[in-house]
Amino acid sequence: MCVSGDIPHARELLKDAPKNWGKWGPDDEVGSLNYLNEPEVLSGRDCIRSGKTFTLGLEIGRPEGDPIWPGRPQPQRVQIRDRGDFLAGAGKNYPGGLEDSDDMIIMMLQGSTQYDALGHVWYDDQIWNGYPAETTAGGLKKASVCPIGERGVVGRGVLIDMARHRGKKVLGRGETFTHKDLMEAAAAQGVEIRKRDILVIRTGWIGSFYYTPAEEFYKDFLEPGLTYSPELVQWFADMEIPSLCTDTIANEVTFEPETGVLLPLHMALMRNLGITLAEILLLDKLADDCAADGQWDFLYTAAPLKVVQGTGAPVNPVVIK
Ligand code: UVW
């Protein structure tokens, strides 16, 4: 990280940045998902050519561990009942001889493939749409993940494979790219990024978790990704991007290299523009298929769990080509 001088506060960095607050009324909780309506769903439907389907969610609760933001505990699945209970005579005595297994999971709601609620991050005491940050106390009373789960995310998705474009298996630690790089990669792939597309970006990073020793993956944690600039934020605003989905844990380079600010795009895109972020996707199989058949657009569908007051929730997006 190359930090010159003091790290600016987001209020300074983003003082002239565009905002969509109020655009969809004073009670809005889904932000740029308002851009996805029947015409956008139908343009996604028009991308279905072969009927091939792909799921983008990770396995949850592997004994070896799952990729997760440093400091967050791993998901823990707990067996509550199984055959052993019945062998010990402690199982439920259901009429007719039925036996069953039950379990529960304890996990961070951001602890696997997930959608962030629009109220997940903020600065200057206000979250998305200008709601007071105090509304987050004890659970998100405004802009939780629940309305996103209620609405769902459906439209034309386009995959930009930045790793493949740069001839790499995986982008390097802290490696950055911009909206201009996305457009260049799209042109090379022969696909157009259209207004209101669900933008899916592959870096190869989450895939690398499965073949990299954990100490190396997490060392000086610094993911590759999009990097902040006023022009990039304006491009997202002008393109009316409803959702940004990536195969990294936090969807952007961890620290913006010029200033050292942590996750400025969370603040500029999510808090200010209401763009929903889907994180920790696994895109490698989809990308291989797109490279093989030359089709980089598809119908993208996803809906996070409707966790009341949740700051985010697990999701397993389904893509149909
Ligand atoms: C943080 O909360 C730091 O990031 P994420 O959006 O990945 O959960």
Side-chain angles (χ1 to χ4, degrees):
M1 179 180 45
C2 147
V3 182
S4 47
D6 289 341
I7 297 176
H9 193 283
R11 108 173 48 96
E12 289 307 314
L13 188 71
L14 303 177
K15 68 176 184 311
D16 300 319
K19 275 200 187 89
N20 283 332
W21 293 5
K23 183 167 185 166
W24 297 286
D27 299 320
D28 180 76
E29 300 185 288
V30 297
S32 292
L33 291 185
N34 284 288
Y35 290 133
L36 293 179
N37 295 297
E38 286 83 350
E40 288 73 30
V41 173
L42 293 180
S43 84
R45 187 265 327 257
D46 291 345
C47 298
I48 299 179
R49 295 178 192 113
S50 61
K52 284 185 274 190
T53 61
F54 298 85
T55 60
L56 308 182
L58 263 52
E59 291 181 351
I60 300 175
R62 298 176 335 130
E64 319 87 287
D66 305 337
I68 197 161
W69 183 267
R72 286 178 176 154
Q74 288 284 333
Q76 285 177 48
R77 198 191 57 80
V78 181
Q79 197 71 30
I80 299 296
R81 193 165 52 253
D82 58 25
R83 174 70 178 140
D85 293 83
F86 293 91
L87 286 174
K92 298 255 182 187
N93 189 15
Y94 296 118
L98 180 144
E99 297 185 3
D100 67 348
S101 56
D102 252 350
D103 52 4
M104 60 185 277
I105 193 155
I106 304 164
M107 66 181 292
M108 298 295 293
L109 287 171
Q110 264 95 7
S112 186
T113 312
Q114 43 90 24
Y115 263 88
D116 280 343
L118 289 183
H120 174 48
V121 301
W122 65 90
Y123 62 92
D124 248 2
D125 303 332
Q126 284 177 296
I127 65 170
W128 159 248
N129 222 26
Y131 303 124
E134 284 71 22
T135 56
T136 64
L140 302 193
K141 312 299 181 305
K142 299 298 282 182
S144 80
V145 77
C146 210
I148 297 176
E150 183 61 35
R151 187 178 175 106
V153 186
V154 182
R156 177 181 186 258
V158 59
L159 174 65
I160 305 300
D161 192 340
M162 282 308 304
R164 198 174 300 255
H165 181 61
R166 290 187 174 170
K168 296 178 172 182
K169 191 171 175 187
V170 53
L171 296 188
R173 190 183 299 279
E175 182 171 344
T176 60
F177 51 91
T178 69
H179 60 298
K180 289 187 184 149
D181 295 316
L182 293 179
M183 287 187 283
E184 210 180 274
Q189 290 174 198
V191 70
E192 187 193 354
I193 304 175
R194 298 188 195 146
K195 237 175 154 166
R196 302 194 173 187
D197 273 350
I198 295 162
L199 193 51
V200 184
I201 304 175
R202 177 175 176 273
T203 65
W205 186 254
I206 287 297
S208 79
F209 172 84
Y210 297 100
Y211 59 80
T212 307
E215 317 79 74
E216 200 181 316
F217 182 82
Y218 289 115
K219 187 173 176 291
D220 303 327
F221 189 70
L222 183 58
E223 293 192 297
L226 282 168
T227 189
Y228 166 81
S229 70
E231 295 74 24
L232 176 137
V233 175
Q234 193 58 53
W235 181 82
F236 270 84
D238 294 344
M239 291 296 287
E240 301 183 342
I241 299 295
S243 191
L244 169 65
C245 317
T246 79
D247 65 344
T248 59
I249 296 173
N251 272 15
E252 60 180 299
V253 65
T254 311
F255 296 98
E256 199 275 307
E258 291 295 313
T259 61
V261 171
L262 175 76
L263 304 181
L265 293 178
H266 273 57
M267 299 186 274
L269 302 185
M270 184 199 297
R271 177 209 187 248
N272 290 350
L273 294 177
I275 295 176
T276 54
L277 303 188
E279 300 172 322
I280 323 185
L281 277 62
L282 190 57
L283 300 172
D284 300 349
K285 277 189 195 158
L286 174 63
D288 286 347
D289 189 79
C290 294
D293 71 7
Q295 181 190 336
W296 297 90
D297 58 359
F298 37 76
L299 177 69
Y300 174 98
T301 68
L305 300 179
K306 299 178 188 180
V307 180
V308 175
Q309 298 188 1
T311 66
V315 68
N316 185 13
V318 179
V319 153
I320 310 171
K321 288 178 67 180

